[in-house]
Amino acid sequence: KETMKYLSILLICCVLTAKAQTNEEKINSFIPTIDALFNEQAKSSKMPGLVYGIVYQGRLIHSNAVGLAQIENGIKAEKDIDFRIASMSKSFATLAILQLRDAGKLQLDDPASKYIPELKQTKSLTKDAPVITVRHLMMHGAGFPEDNPWGDRQLGISDETFKKMILKGITFSTNPGVTYEYSNMGFAMLGLIIKNVSGISYQKYITDHIFKPLGMNHTYWEYTQVPTSKLAYGYRWINNAWVKQPMEHDGAYGAMGGLITTLEDFSKYVALHLAAWPERDAPEIGPLKRSSLREMQFPWNMSGFNPSYIFHNGRKGSSVTAYGYGLSFMKDDLGKRSVGHSGGLPGFGSNWRIFPDYDLGIISFANVTYAPASFINLKVADSLIHSVQLSPRKISPSEILKRRQAELVKLLPNWEKAPESGIFAENFFLDYFPEMLRSEAKAIFDKIGAIRSIHEIVPENNLRGTFVIEGEKGSAEVYFTLSPENPPLIQEYHIKEIKKAHN
Protein backbone atom coordinates (compact mmCIF):
# COMPACT_ATOMS: atom_id res chain seq x y z
CA LYS A 1 0.00 0.00 0.00
CA GLU A 2 2.82 2.38 0.91
CA THR A 3 4.49 1.63 -2.42
CA MET A 4 1.27 2.32 -4.32
CA LYS A 5 0.80 5.53 -2.37
CA TYR A 6 4.36 6.62 -3.21
CA LEU A 7 3.87 5.80 -6.90
CA SER A 8 0.61 7.74 -6.97
CA ILE A 9 2.29 10.79 -5.45
CA LEU A 10 5.19 10.44 -7.90
CA LEU A 11 2.78 10.22 -10.85
CA ILE A 12 0.93 13.33 -9.70
CA CYS A 13 4.24 15.19 -9.32
CA CYS A 14 5.30 14.14 -12.84
CA VAL A 15 2.01 15.32 -14.28
CA LEU A 16 2.28 18.66 -12.49
CA THR A 17 5.88 19.05 -13.67
CA ALA A 18 4.87 18.27 -17.27
CA LYS A 19 2.12 20.87 -17.09
CA ALA A 20 4.59 23.44 -15.82
CA GLN A 21 7.04 22.87 -18.66
CA THR A 22 7.38 25.52 -21.35
CA ASN A 23 7.21 24.49 -24.99
CA GLU A 24 10.95 25.01 -25.35
CA GLU A 25 11.60 22.72 -22.39
CA LYS A 26 9.31 20.13 -23.95
CA ILE A 27 11.20 20.37 -27.24
CA ASN A 28 14.55 20.05 -25.48
CA SER A 29 13.34 16.93 -23.69
CA PHE A 30 12.47 15.40 -27.06
CA ILE A 31 15.80 16.17 -28.78
CA PRO A 32 17.30 12.69 -28.24
CA THR A 33 14.27 11.23 -30.06
CA ILE A 34 14.60 13.81 -32.84
CA ASP A 35 18.27 12.90 -33.30
CA ALA A 36 17.43 9.19 -33.33
CA LEU A 37 14.69 9.66 -35.96
CA PHE A 38 16.98 11.63 -38.26
CA ASN A 39 19.85 9.17 -37.81
CA GLU A 40 17.58 6.25 -38.63
CA GLN A 41 16.32 8.01 -41.77
CA ALA A 42 19.85 8.87 -42.90
CA LYS A 43 20.82 5.20 -42.70
CA SER A 44 17.69 3.78 -44.33
CA SER A 45 17.80 6.31 -47.19
CA LYS A 46 21.54 5.91 -47.85
CA MET A 47 22.27 9.59 -47.22
CA PRO A 48 26.01 10.38 -47.39
CA GLY A 49 25.36 13.50 -45.33
CA LEU A 50 22.42 15.13 -43.53
CA VAL A 51 22.04 18.36 -41.60
CA TYR A 52 18.89 19.34 -39.75
CA GLY A 53 17.61 21.88 -37.27
CA ILE A 54 14.70 23.00 -35.13
CA VAL A 55 13.66 26.65 -35.13
CA TYR A 56 11.52 27.85 -32.25
CA GLN A 57 10.35 31.41 -31.66
CA GLY A 58 12.76 32.73 -34.27
CA ARG A 59 15.88 30.91 -33.02
CA LEU A 60 17.74 27.83 -34.20
CA ILE A 61 17.50 26.03 -30.85
CA HIS A 62 18.89 22.69 -32.04
CA SER A 63 20.94 21.52 -34.99
CA ASN A 64 22.88 18.39 -35.80
CA ALA A 65 24.68 16.71 -38.67
CA VAL A 66 25.24 13.15 -39.82
CA GLY A 67 27.82 11.78 -42.26
CA LEU A 68 29.85 13.49 -44.95
CA ALA A 69 29.39 16.50 -47.20
CA GLN A 70 32.23 15.30 -49.45
CA ILE A 71 32.93 11.57 -49.38
CA GLU A 72 36.13 11.83 -51.43
CA ASN A 73 37.69 14.42 -49.15
CA GLY A 74 36.27 13.24 -45.83
CA ILE A 75 34.60 16.61 -45.16
CA LYS A 76 31.88 16.24 -42.57
CA ALA A 77 28.36 17.54 -42.94
CA GLU A 78 27.93 20.55 -40.65
CA LYS A 79 25.43 23.38 -40.16
CA ASP A 80 27.83 25.79 -41.91
CA ILE A 81 28.25 23.57 -45.01
CA ASP A 82 26.48 24.78 -48.16
CA PHE A 83 23.90 22.39 -49.61
CA ARG A 84 21.96 22.84 -52.83
CA ILE A 85 18.30 23.19 -51.75
CA ALA A 86 16.60 22.91 -55.16
CA SER A 87 12.92 23.93 -55.13
CA MET A 88 13.16 25.38 -51.66
CA SER A 89 14.44 28.32 -53.75
CA LYS A 90 10.97 29.03 -55.15
CA SER A 91 9.58 31.12 -52.31
CA PHE A 92 12.49 33.57 -52.61
CA ALA A 93 11.24 34.39 -56.11
CA THR A 94 7.66 34.92 -54.92
CA LEU A 95 8.85 36.98 -51.96
CA ALA A 96 10.73 39.21 -54.42
CA ILE A 97 7.61 39.51 -56.60
CA LEU A 98 5.59 40.61 -53.55
CA GLN A 99 8.27 43.16 -52.65
CA LEU A 100 7.91 44.62 -56.15
CA ARG A 101 4.11 44.49 -55.88
CA ASP A 102 4.17 46.26 -52.51
CA ALA A 103 6.42 48.92 -54.05
CA GLY A 104 3.82 49.50 -56.79
CA LYS A 105 6.03 48.19 -59.60
CA LEU A 106 3.73 45.35 -60.73
CA GLN A 107 0.34 43.80 -60.06
CA LEU A 108 -0.28 40.11 -59.49
CA ASP A 109 -3.27 39.99 -61.81
CA ASP A 110 -1.45 41.68 -64.67
CA PRO A 111 -0.84 39.47 -67.70
CA ALA A 112 2.61 37.90 -67.38
CA SER A 113 3.23 39.00 -70.97
CA LYS A 114 3.26 42.62 -69.74
CA TYR A 115 6.62 41.84 -68.16
CA ILE A 116 7.75 39.05 -70.51
CA PRO A 117 7.06 40.28 -74.08
CA GLU A 118 8.05 36.88 -75.51
CA LEU A 119 4.84 35.45 -73.99
CA LYS A 120 2.52 37.63 -76.10
CA GLN A 121 2.36 35.13 -78.96
CA THR A 122 1.72 32.14 -76.69
CA LYS A 123 -1.45 30.23 -77.57
CA SER A 124 -3.42 28.39 -74.88
CA LEU A 125 -5.29 25.13 -75.42
CA THR A 126 -8.58 26.78 -76.33
CA LYS A 127 -9.74 30.18 -77.51
CA ASP A 128 -11.74 30.80 -74.33
CA ALA A 129 -8.68 30.48 -72.07
CA PRO A 130 -7.74 33.44 -69.85
CA VAL A 131 -4.34 35.07 -70.18
CA ILE A 132 -1.57 33.86 -67.91
CA THR A 133 -1.16 36.22 -64.98
CA VAL A 134 1.72 36.74 -62.59
CA ARG A 135 -0.45 35.18 -59.89
CA HIS A 136 -0.97 32.03 -62.01
CA LEU A 137 2.81 31.58 -62.18
CA MET A 138 3.23 32.03 -58.41
CA MET A 139 0.74 29.31 -57.48
CA HIS A 140 1.35 26.72 -60.23
CA GLY A 141 -1.84 27.61 -62.04
CA ALA A 142 -0.59 28.71 -65.48
CA GLY A 143 -1.52 25.46 -67.23
CA PHE A 144 2.06 24.33 -67.85
CA PRO A 145 2.78 20.59 -67.47
CA GLU A 146 4.56 19.14 -64.46
CA ASP A 147 8.21 19.24 -65.51
CA ASN A 148 10.43 18.06 -62.67
CA PRO A 149 12.80 15.67 -64.52
CA TRP A 150 13.11 17.97 -67.53
CA GLY A 151 13.22 21.18 -65.47
CA ASP A 152 16.11 19.89 -63.37
CA ARG A 153 18.31 19.91 -66.48
CA GLN A 154 17.42 23.48 -67.51
CA LEU A 155 18.97 25.09 -64.44
CA GLY A 156 21.97 26.62 -66.15
CA ILE A 157 20.50 27.82 -69.46
CA SER A 158 20.96 31.48 -70.38
CA ASP A 159 18.21 34.10 -70.42
CA GLU A 160 18.50 34.29 -74.21
CA THR A 161 18.03 30.54 -74.57
CA PHE A 162 15.01 30.72 -72.27
CA LYS A 163 13.45 33.58 -74.24
CA LYS A 164 13.92 31.64 -77.49
CA MET A 165 12.24 28.66 -75.86
CA ILE A 166 9.22 30.83 -74.98
CA LEU A 167 9.08 32.35 -78.47
CA LYS A 168 9.14 28.90 -80.02
CA GLY A 169 5.94 28.11 -78.20
CA ILE A 170 4.76 26.35 -75.01
CA THR A 171 2.75 23.15 -74.95
CA PHE A 172 0.03 23.37 -72.28
CA SER A 173 -1.48 20.54 -70.27
CA THR A 174 -4.49 22.64 -69.17
CA ASN A 175 -5.70 26.19 -69.56
CA PRO A 176 -4.57 28.81 -67.02
CA GLY A 177 -6.57 29.07 -63.82
CA VAL A 178 -8.12 25.60 -64.08
CA THR A 179 -6.07 23.44 -61.72
CA TYR A 180 -2.82 22.96 -59.84
CA GLU A 181 0.13 21.51 -61.73
CA TYR A 182 3.70 21.92 -60.54
CA SER A 183 5.76 23.94 -63.00
CA ASN A 184 9.44 24.85 -62.85
CA MET A 185 9.03 26.78 -66.08
CA GLY A 186 6.52 29.07 -64.38
CA PHE A 187 9.05 29.96 -61.68
CA ALA A 188 11.80 30.52 -64.23
CA MET A 189 9.41 33.06 -65.75
CA LEU A 190 9.08 34.75 -62.36
CA GLY A 191 12.86 35.15 -62.36
CA LEU A 192 12.61 36.85 -65.74
CA ILE A 193 9.85 39.14 -64.45
CA ILE A 194 11.99 40.17 -61.46
CA LYS A 195 14.81 41.04 -63.86
CA ASN A 196 12.66 42.97 -66.31
CA VAL A 197 10.81 44.94 -63.60
CA SER A 198 13.78 45.70 -61.31
CA GLY A 199 16.36 46.26 -64.03
CA ILE A 200 18.84 43.84 -62.44
CA SER A 201 19.14 40.06 -62.52
CA TYR A 202 16.86 38.16 -60.17
CA GLN A 203 20.00 36.77 -58.52
CA LYS A 204 21.29 40.23 -57.62
CA TYR A 205 17.85 41.49 -56.68
CA ILE A 206 17.17 38.61 -54.27
CA THR A 207 20.70 38.81 -52.84
CA ASP A 208 20.44 42.55 -52.20
CA HIS A 209 16.82 42.68 -51.03
CA ILE A 210 16.42 39.39 -49.13
CA PHE A 211 19.71 37.64 -48.32
CA LYS A 212 21.63 40.71 -47.12
CA PRO A 213 18.84 42.14 -44.94
CA LEU A 214 18.43 38.72 -43.29
CA GLY A 215 22.17 38.23 -42.78
CA MET A 216 22.27 35.20 -45.11
CA ASN A 217 25.91 35.76 -45.94
CA HIS A 218 26.73 32.19 -46.94
CA THR A 219 24.02 31.71 -49.56
CA TYR A 220 24.93 31.44 -53.24
CA TRP A 221 23.47 30.96 -56.72
CA GLU A 222 26.61 29.62 -58.46
CA TYR A 223 28.35 26.64 -56.87
CA THR A 224 31.80 27.73 -58.11
CA GLN A 225 31.54 30.76 -55.81
CA VAL A 226 31.22 28.56 -52.70
CA PRO A 227 34.49 27.96 -50.81
CA THR A 228 35.58 24.46 -51.88
CA SER A 229 35.77 23.10 -48.33
CA LYS A 230 32.25 24.35 -47.56
CA LEU A 231 30.37 22.85 -50.53
CA ALA A 232 28.36 19.65 -50.16
CA TYR A 233 28.66 17.35 -53.17
CA GLY A 234 25.61 15.50 -54.42
CA TYR A 235 25.42 11.71 -54.84
CA ARG A 236 23.23 8.90 -56.12
CA TRP A 237 23.16 5.42 -54.56
CA ILE A 238 23.84 3.10 -57.53
CA ASN A 239 24.85 -0.57 -57.34
CA ASN A 240 25.55 -0.36 -53.62
CA ALA A 241 27.84 2.65 -53.99
CA TRP A 242 27.56 6.43 -53.89
CA VAL A 243 28.21 8.01 -57.25
CA LYS A 244 29.03 11.71 -57.33
CA GLN A 245 26.66 13.78 -59.51
CA PRO A 246 27.69 16.70 -61.72
CA MET A 247 26.62 20.10 -60.41
CA GLU A 248 24.48 22.34 -62.61
CA HIS A 249 25.63 25.92 -63.09
CA ASP A 250 23.49 28.95 -62.31
CA GLY A 251 21.25 30.29 -65.06
CA ALA A 252 17.78 31.35 -66.09
CA TYR A 253 16.07 28.50 -64.23
CA GLY A 254 17.83 29.19 -60.92
CA ALA A 255 14.74 30.96 -59.54
CA MET A 256 12.99 27.60 -59.52
CA GLY A 257 15.74 25.64 -57.78
CA GLY A 258 19.28 26.98 -57.88
CA LEU A 259 20.00 28.14 -54.35
CA ILE A 260 22.92 26.85 -52.29
CA THR A 261 22.81 27.68 -48.58
CA THR A 262 23.69 26.60 -45.06
CA LEU A 263 21.40 25.43 -42.30
CA GLU A 264 22.36 28.47 -40.22
CA ASP A 265 21.54 30.86 -43.07
CA PHE A 266 18.26 29.19 -43.95
CA SER A 267 17.10 29.19 -40.33
CA LYS A 268 17.01 33.01 -40.58
CA TYR A 269 14.59 32.74 -43.48
CA VAL A 270 12.43 30.27 -41.55
CA ALA A 271 12.41 32.70 -38.63
CA LEU A 272 11.17 35.44 -40.98
CA HIS A 273 8.14 33.36 -41.97
CA LEU A 274 7.38 32.43 -38.36
CA ALA A 275 7.56 36.11 -37.42
CA ALA A 276 4.55 36.80 -39.65
CA TRP A 277 2.42 35.42 -36.80
CA PRO A 278 0.47 36.48 -34.87
CA GLU A 279 -1.09 39.54 -36.49
CA ARG A 280 -0.10 42.53 -34.39
CA ASP A 281 0.52 46.27 -34.24
CA ALA A 282 4.31 46.04 -33.82
CA PRO A 283 6.59 47.87 -36.30
CA GLU A 284 7.65 46.05 -39.47
CA ILE A 285 11.29 44.97 -39.38
CA GLY A 286 11.64 42.30 -42.11
CA PRO A 287 12.38 42.60 -45.83
CA LEU A 288 8.67 41.90 -46.52
CA LYS A 289 5.58 43.06 -44.65
CA ARG A 290 4.06 40.50 -42.30
CA SER A 291 0.75 40.71 -44.15
CA SER A 292 2.51 39.86 -47.42
CA LEU A 293 4.30 36.93 -45.78
CA ARG A 294 0.93 35.62 -44.58
CA GLU A 295 -0.37 36.13 -48.11
CA MET A 296 2.47 33.91 -49.39
CA GLN A 297 1.49 31.19 -46.92
CA PHE A 298 -2.23 31.27 -47.75
CA PRO A 299 -3.57 28.16 -49.59
CA TRP A 300 -4.40 29.79 -52.91
CA ASN A 301 -4.52 26.74 -55.17
CA MET A 302 -5.93 23.41 -53.98
CA SER A 303 -3.61 20.52 -54.79
CA GLY A 304 -5.04 17.51 -52.95
CA PHE A 305 -7.30 15.95 -50.33
CA ASN A 306 -6.56 12.67 -48.58
CA PRO A 307 -9.57 11.34 -46.62
CA SER A 308 -7.59 8.41 -45.21
CA TYR A 309 -4.25 9.99 -44.29
CA ILE A 310 -2.07 7.85 -42.02
CA PHE A 311 -0.07 10.02 -39.65
CA HIS A 312 3.44 9.07 -38.63
CA ASN A 313 2.30 8.20 -35.11
CA GLY A 314 -0.17 5.71 -36.62
CA ARG A 315 -3.25 7.87 -36.21
CA LYS A 316 -5.76 7.73 -39.05
CA GLY A 317 -7.26 10.99 -40.18
CA SER A 318 -7.46 13.25 -43.20
CA SER A 319 -5.47 16.09 -44.71
CA VAL A 320 -5.84 18.78 -47.31
CA THR A 321 -2.95 20.25 -49.30
CA ALA A 322 -2.68 23.41 -51.36
CA TYR A 323 -0.11 25.77 -52.84
CA GLY A 324 0.42 29.37 -51.83
CA TYR A 325 2.92 31.67 -53.46
CA GLY A 326 6.02 29.49 -53.76
CA LEU A 327 4.97 27.57 -50.65
CA SER A 328 3.03 24.38 -50.00
CA PHE A 329 0.26 24.28 -47.40
CA MET A 330 -1.10 21.36 -45.39
CA LYS A 331 -3.88 21.12 -42.82
CA ASP A 332 -5.09 18.00 -41.02
CA ASP A 333 -8.43 17.03 -39.51
CA LEU A 334 -7.29 18.25 -36.08
CA GLY A 335 -6.71 21.72 -37.48
CA LYS A 336 -2.90 21.54 -37.42
CA ARG A 337 -1.52 23.55 -40.34
CA SER A 338 1.96 23.74 -41.76
CA VAL A 339 3.68 25.64 -44.54
CA GLY A 340 6.99 25.06 -46.32
CA HIS A 341 8.57 23.47 -49.38
CA SER A 342 10.61 20.48 -50.45
CA GLY A 343 13.55 20.43 -52.82
CA GLY A 344 15.00 17.75 -55.07
CA LEU A 345 17.71 17.73 -57.72
CA PRO A 346 20.13 15.05 -58.87
CA GLY A 347 22.34 14.63 -55.82
CA PHE A 348 20.16 16.47 -53.29
CA GLY A 349 16.92 16.39 -51.30
CA SER A 350 15.69 18.94 -48.76
CA ASN A 351 12.65 20.27 -46.96
CA TRP A 352 11.50 22.93 -44.54
CA ARG A 353 8.18 23.31 -42.77
CA ILE A 354 6.81 25.74 -40.26
CA PHE A 355 3.91 25.21 -37.90
CA PRO A 356 2.80 28.80 -37.30
CA ASP A 357 0.39 28.01 -34.46
CA TYR A 358 3.28 26.45 -32.51
CA ASP A 359 5.97 28.98 -33.55
CA LEU A 360 7.94 25.94 -34.72
CA GLY A 361 10.04 25.24 -37.79
CA ILE A 362 12.04 22.25 -39.00
CA ILE A 363 14.73 22.09 -41.72
CA SER A 364 16.72 19.25 -43.27
CA PHE A 365 19.24 19.08 -46.13
CA ALA A 366 20.67 15.84 -47.55
CA ASN A 367 23.11 15.13 -50.38
CA VAL A 368 21.55 12.12 -52.07
CA THR A 369 19.17 12.33 -55.03
CA TYR A 370 15.59 13.11 -53.98
CA ALA A 371 16.21 12.30 -50.32
CA PRO A 372 12.87 11.89 -48.46
CA ALA A 373 13.37 15.06 -46.43
CA SER A 374 9.65 15.93 -46.48
CA PHE A 375 8.79 12.55 -45.00
CA ILE A 376 11.27 12.74 -42.14
CA ASN A 377 10.46 16.39 -41.32
CA LEU A 378 6.75 15.64 -41.04
CA LYS A 379 7.48 12.50 -39.05
CA VAL A 380 9.64 14.39 -36.58
CA ALA A 381 7.26 17.34 -36.30
CA ASP A 382 4.20 15.13 -35.84
CA SER A 383 6.00 13.02 -33.24
CA LEU A 384 7.24 16.10 -31.42
CA ILE A 385 3.94 18.00 -31.31
CA HIS A 386 1.89 15.02 -30.15
CA SER A 387 4.37 13.16 -27.96
CA VAL A 388 5.22 16.06 -25.67
CA GLN A 389 1.87 17.81 -26.23
CA LEU A 390 3.18 21.14 -27.43
CA SER A 391 0.77 23.94 -26.67
CA PRO A 392 -0.37 26.04 -29.64
CA ARG A 393 0.01 29.78 -29.40
CA LYS A 394 -2.69 31.26 -27.21
CA ILE A 395 -4.88 33.88 -28.84
CA SER A 396 -5.71 36.78 -26.53
CA PRO A 397 -9.44 37.60 -26.43
CA SER A 398 -10.41 40.99 -27.79
CA GLU A 399 -11.92 43.58 -25.47
CA ILE A 400 -15.26 43.41 -27.26
CA LEU A 401 -15.43 39.60 -26.80
CA LYS A 402 -14.74 39.95 -23.07
CA ARG A 403 -17.31 42.72 -22.76
CA ARG A 404 -20.04 40.77 -24.56
CA GLN A 405 -19.21 37.69 -22.49
CA ALA A 406 -19.75 39.59 -19.25
CA GLU A 407 -22.98 41.11 -20.55
CA LEU A 408 -24.29 37.74 -21.72
CA VAL A 409 -23.53 36.00 -18.41
CA LYS A 410 -25.64 38.58 -16.55
CA LEU A 411 -28.69 37.43 -18.53
CA LEU A 412 -28.28 33.73 -17.71
CA PRO A 413 -30.25 31.65 -16.98
CA ASN A 414 -33.48 33.69 -17.03
CA TRP A 415 -32.88 35.95 -20.04
CA GLU A 416 -34.80 38.74 -18.30
CA LYS A 417 -35.11 41.90 -20.39
CA ALA A 418 -32.66 40.43 -22.92
CA PRO A 419 -34.30 42.16 -25.93
CA GLU A 420 -33.87 45.50 -24.17
CA SER A 421 -30.21 44.90 -23.27
CA GLY A 422 -28.89 46.31 -26.54
CA ILE A 423 -26.18 43.62 -26.91
CA PHE A 424 -27.93 41.50 -29.56
CA ALA A 425 -27.90 42.00 -33.34
CA GLU A 426 -31.18 42.59 -35.16
CA ASN A 427 -31.35 39.00 -36.37
CA PHE A 428 -30.96 37.43 -32.93
CA PHE A 429 -34.53 37.33 -31.62
CA LEU A 430 -35.79 36.42 -35.08
CA ASP A 431 -33.59 33.31 -34.95
CA TYR A 432 -33.66 32.60 -31.19
CA PHE A 433 -36.93 32.94 -29.26
CA PRO A 434 -36.83 34.24 -25.65
CA GLU A 435 -39.07 31.55 -24.21
CA MET A 436 -37.02 28.79 -25.83
CA LEU A 437 -33.78 30.41 -24.66
CA ARG A 438 -35.10 30.51 -21.09
CA SER A 439 -36.32 26.95 -21.21
CA GLU A 440 -33.03 25.65 -22.60
CA ALA A 441 -30.89 27.56 -20.06
CA LYS A 442 -33.13 26.57 -17.12
CA ALA A 443 -32.84 22.88 -18.01
CA ILE A 444 -29.04 23.11 -18.11
CA PHE A 445 -28.71 25.16 -14.91
CA ASP A 446 -31.03 22.78 -13.07
CA LYS A 447 -28.37 20.14 -13.76
CA ILE A 448 -25.20 22.13 -13.13
CA GLY A 449 -26.50 24.27 -10.28
CA ALA A 450 -25.79 27.90 -9.46
CA ILE A 451 -22.83 29.62 -11.09
CA ARG A 452 -19.57 29.30 -9.13
CA SER A 453 -17.10 30.71 -11.67
CA ILE A 454 -16.80 31.91 -15.25
CA HIS A 455 -13.72 30.85 -17.25
CA GLU A 456 -11.89 33.26 -19.53
CA ILE A 457 -13.24 33.20 -23.06
CA VAL A 458 -11.21 31.14 -25.54
CA PRO A 459 -11.30 33.11 -28.81
CA GLU A 460 -11.53 31.55 -32.22
CA ASN A 461 -10.87 34.97 -33.68
CA ASN A 462 -11.56 38.62 -32.90
CA LEU A 463 -15.36 38.18 -32.95
CA ARG A 464 -16.03 34.57 -31.96
CA GLY A 465 -15.29 32.45 -28.92
CA THR A 466 -16.23 29.85 -26.32
CA PHE A 467 -16.23 29.93 -22.54
CA VAL A 468 -17.09 27.59 -19.67
CA ILE A 469 -19.48 28.24 -16.80
CA GLU A 470 -18.73 26.20 -13.69
CA GLY A 471 -21.74 25.41 -11.56
CA GLU A 472 -22.11 23.78 -8.16
CA LYS A 473 -22.83 20.36 -9.70
CA GLY A 474 -21.41 20.57 -13.21
CA SER A 475 -20.34 22.81 -16.09
CA ALA A 476 -21.72 24.28 -19.30
CA GLU A 477 -20.08 25.59 -22.45
CA VAL A 478 -21.24 28.76 -24.17
CA TYR A 479 -20.36 29.73 -27.73
CA PHE A 480 -21.21 33.03 -29.36
CA THR A 481 -20.22 35.07 -32.39
CA LEU A 482 -20.52 38.79 -33.07
CA SER A 483 -21.76 40.72 -36.07
CA PRO A 484 -19.53 42.81 -38.39
CA GLU A 485 -21.27 46.10 -37.52
CA ASN A 486 -19.79 48.73 -35.23
CA PRO A 487 -20.13 48.13 -32.36
CA PRO A 488 -20.34 44.35 -32.86
CA LEU A 489 -23.41 42.67 -31.39
CA ILE A 490 -24.21 39.03 -30.58
CA GLN A 491 -25.66 37.36 -33.68
CA GLU A 492 -25.32 33.67 -32.74
CA TYR A 493 -25.36 31.81 -29.42
CA HIS A 494 -25.29 28.20 -28.24
CA ILE A 495 -25.13 26.60 -24.79
CA LYS A 496 -24.63 22.96 -23.84
CA GLU A 497 -23.93 20.94 -20.75
CA ILE A 498 -20.44 19.47 -20.50
CA LYS A 499 -20.93 15.78 -19.87
CA LYS A 500 -18.65 14.23 -17.30
CA ALA A 501 -16.34 11.53 -18.57
CA HIS A 502 -16.98 8.08 -17.10
CA ASN A 503 -13.98 5.97 -16.18
Side-chain angles (χ1 to χ4, degrees):
K1 289 183 177 178
E2 287 299 314
T3 302
M4 290 302 295
K5 181 179 178 181
Y6 171 76
L7 289 173
S8 297
I9 293 171
L10 182 62
L11 178 61
I12 291 169
C13 289
C14 289
V15 170
L16 291 174
T17 302
K19 286 184 178 178
Q21 278 188 315
T22 65
N23 270 0
E24 186 165 350
E25 288 170 337
K26 292 177 182 178
I27 294 169
N28 286 333
S29 72
F30 200 68
I31 281 175
T33 303
I34 291 172
D35 289 340
L37 288 170
F38 273 111
N39 271 276
E40 180 184 346
Q41 191 67 54
K43 290 178 183 177
S44 64
S45 299
K46 306 295 186 198
M47 298 176 183
L50 169 69
V51 296
Y52 58 90
I54 303 294
V55 178
Y56 180 67
Q57 292 186 337
R59 296 179 296 115
L60 182 64
I61 65 169
H62 176 65
S63 63
N64 207 348
V66 178
L68 299 172
Q70 296 179 15
I71 296 173
E72 300 87 341
N73 301 315
I75 295 177
K76 292 182 178 180
E78 301 285 356
K79 64 181 179 180
D80 64 346
I81 292 288
D82 276 285
F83 280 73
R84 176 150 266 166
I85 62 170
S87 288
M88 284 171 60
S89 312
K90 284 183 168 65
S91 61
F92 290 93
T94 52
L95 194 151
I97 291 287
L98 289 177
Q99 283 182 331
L100 294 169
R101 187 278 309 274
D102 290 350
K105 296 182 178 180
L106 60 75
Q107 296 297 321
L108 301 191
D109 291 318
D110 281 344
S113 60
K114 179 177 179 179
Y115 310 107
I116 306 176
E118 291 80 8
L119 270 175
K120 289 181 179 178
Q121 304 304 316
T122 299
K123 294 182 180 180
S124 295
L125 282 178
T126 61
K127 292 181 179 179
D128 63 352
V131 297
I132 300 169
T133 65
V134 178
R135 193 189 305 273
H136 286 145
L137 298 176
M138 295 170 73
M139 61 185 190
H140 292 311
F144 304 149
E146 186 278 320
D147 60 353
N148 273 328
W150 175 85
D152 288 349
R153 304 301 181 178
Q154 310 305 312
L155 201 61
I157 66 171
S158 68
D159 285 355
E160 290 308 310
T161 298
F162 185 37
K163 290 176 184 178
K164 289 177 182 178
M165 183 191 299
I166 297 171
L167 283 170
K168 189 177 178 181
I170 298 167
T171 303
F172 288 82
S173 58
T174 65
N175 277 324
V178 172
T179 189
Y180 164 89
E181 191 161 359
Y182 194 87
S183 171
N184 291 300
M185 175 180 277
F187 273 76
M189 289 182 181
L190 290 175
L192 203 52
I193 290 173
I194 294 166
K195 177 182 179 180
N196 290 343
V197 171
S198 70
I200 56 177
S201 70
Y202 73 80
Q203 293 95 330
K204 180 169 175 52
Y205 180 91
I206 292 173
T207 298
D208 291 347
H209 292 82
I210 302 175
F211 298 160
K212 288 182 179 179
L214 289 176
M216 296 175 67
N217 300 318
H218 304 285
T219 299
Y220 306 86
W221 294 100
E222 171 56 48
Y223 77 88
T224 58
Q225 295 176 357
V226 183
T228 304
S229 63
K230 294 294 183 181
L231 177 64
Y233 294 165
Y235 301 88
R236 282 184 188 266
W237 182 252
I238 303 173
N239 296 328
N240 295 317
W242 282 304
V243 178
K244 185 181 175 183
Q245 299 298 289
M247 295 280 278
E248 295 280 345
H249 286 286
D250 180 38
Y253 262 65
M256 73 82 180
L259 272 183
I260 303 164
T261 190
T262 67
L263 183 73
E264 284 187 317
D265 266 20
F266 199 82
S267 70
K268 298 171 184 177
Y269 183 65
V270 171
L272 171 70
H273 277 277
L274 285 170
W277 304 93
E279 299 100 323
R280 57 196 183 276
D281 295 327
E284 300 280 0
I285 57 174
L288 186 69
K289 294 189 302 182
R290 291 190 298 272
S291 61
S292 295
L293 286 166
R294 295 190 292 268
E295 183 182 354
M296 284 181 69
Q297 298 171 18
F298 188 79
W300 290 102
N301 198 2
M302 183 71 66
S303 59
F305 171 65
N306 188 339
S308 55
Y309 185 77
I310 306 297
F311 292 84
H312 299 296
N313 60 9
R315 186 180 76 82
K316 295 181 180 179
S318 59
S319 69
V320 63
T321 56
Y323 205 79
Y325 295 154
L327 294 171
S328 63
F329 173 96
M330 181 177 179
K331 192 170 186 177
D332 66 25
D333 55 315
L334 297 180
K336 185 169 83 270
R337 64 187 172 117
S338 65
V339 176
H341 213 289
S342 60
L345 277 170
F348 298 94
S350 55
N351 179 262
W352 70 285
R353 294 208 77 78
I354 60 169
F355 297 79
D357 299 324
Y358 296 88
D359 218 347
L360 177 72
I362 186 164
I363 313 162
S364 62
F365 305 155
N367 58 341
V368 70
T369 298
Y370 302 150
S374 302
F375 172 83
I376 184 58
N377 277 9
L378 282 171
K379 181 176 182 178
V380 168
D382 193 55
S383 299
L384 169 62
I385 290 170
H386 293 288
S387 295
V388 301
Q389 297 183 331
L390 284 190
S391 304
R393 182 190 296 110
K394 186 178 180 181
I395 303 174
S396 298
S398 63
E399 290 303 316
I400 189 62
L401 269 182
K402 292 190 287 187
R403 178 178 159 190
R404 294 291 183 242
Q405 176 195 19
E407 292 167 334
L408 180 58
V409 168
K410 289 179 181 179
L411 297 174
L412 297 174
N414 297 320
W415 285 86
E416 285 187 23
K417 297 183 179 179
E420 294 80 30
S421 66
I423 68 170
F424 296 97
E426 62 181 318
N427 72 288
F428 192 85
F429 292 108
L430 296 173
D431 296 321
Y432 304 89
F433 308 108
E435 190 55 44
M436 295 179 69
L437 291 168
R438 274 191 290 271
S439 176
E440 178 187 42
K442 184 178 183 304
I444 289 175
F445 277 85
D446 283 347
K447 293 179 180 179
I448 71 170
I451 297 174
R452 294 179 60 184
S453 64
I454 306 295
H455 289 206
E456 182 180 39
I457 190 165
V458 178
E460 186 178 325
N461 57 37
N462 193 54
L463 296 176
R464 183 182 301 123
T466 304
F467 65 93
V468 171
I469 298 173
E470 279 196 31
E472 296 172 330
K473 298 178 289 184
S475 302
E477 182 182 84
V478 176
Y479 162 90
F480 68 93
T481 184
L482 304 181
S483 61
E485 59 198 314
N486 189 15
L489 302 172
I490 298 172
Q491 61 165 317
E492 185 178 359
Y493 153 91
H494 301 283
I495 186 170
K496 64 180 182 181
E497 180 188 3
I498 299 174
K499 301 291 186 181
K500 293 181 180 179
H502 296 286
N503 295 328

